[in-house]
Amino acid sequence: MATVRQRPAALNLTERAHARIAELMAKAPDGTVGVKLSTPRRGCSGLAYSVDYVGEAAPFDERIETPGGTFFVDGASVLYLVGSTMDWVEDDFAAGFTFENPNAKGSCGCGESFTV
């Protein structure tokens, strides 16, 4: 009998990212089914990271169950993100999700966008 190897998640989430997703879901608008990461085309390098609430899952979205709620990765963005790690970082001056993306070949000086 052949064993089925489980496919790795498209994205790794740190404990701080899990905690932030839980915070977002705790105050999510009615009808929200999760939080979704996508990589729309924008910025000086071509692609940017965007995290938003979603009201329904798209058919090809990658679904990652977290302790605080469902996290989706846009199906069209998965190829740009495979093997990446998403973290939540806060300091005295800024707070936001950060990404270690082995697929990124470069990024703009301000860190808003990346290229693959």
Side-chain angles (χ1 to χ4, degrees):
M1 180 175 191
T3 59
V4 176
R5 195 173 98 205
Q6 189 164 2
R7 184 171 55 117
L11 183 74
N12 300 306
L13 303 170
T14 66
E15 289 301 316
R16 290 184 302 235
H18 280 281
R20 182 60 181 159
I21 291 166
E23 289 173 10
L24 290 170
M25 289 304 294
K27 60 183 180 184
D30 288 343
T32 298
V33 298
V35 176
K36 183 175 181 175
L37 171 65
S38 60
T39 56
R41 295 197 178 282
R42 72 171 180 245
C44 28
S45 290
L47 297 170
Y49 300 105
S50 180
V51 180
D52 301 290
Y53 290 119
V54 290
E56 65 181 281
F60 295 104
D61 284 351
E62 180 83 15
R63 183 184 198 113
I64 300 171
E65 296 300 333
T66 76
T70 306
F71 184 76
F72 297 95
V73 179
D74 175 64
S77 300
V78 170
L79 290 176
Y80 306 128
L81 298 168
V82 170
S84 295
T85 298
M86 182 173 133
D87 194 9
W88 175 259
V89 177
E90 287 185 51
D91 63 25
D92 291 341
F93 302 103
F97 287 110
T98 62
F99 300 87
E100 288 181 31
N101 187 341
N103 306 299
K105 302 295 185 233
S107 62
C108 65
C110 63
E112 281 291 312
S113 60
F114 68 101
T115 186
V116 291

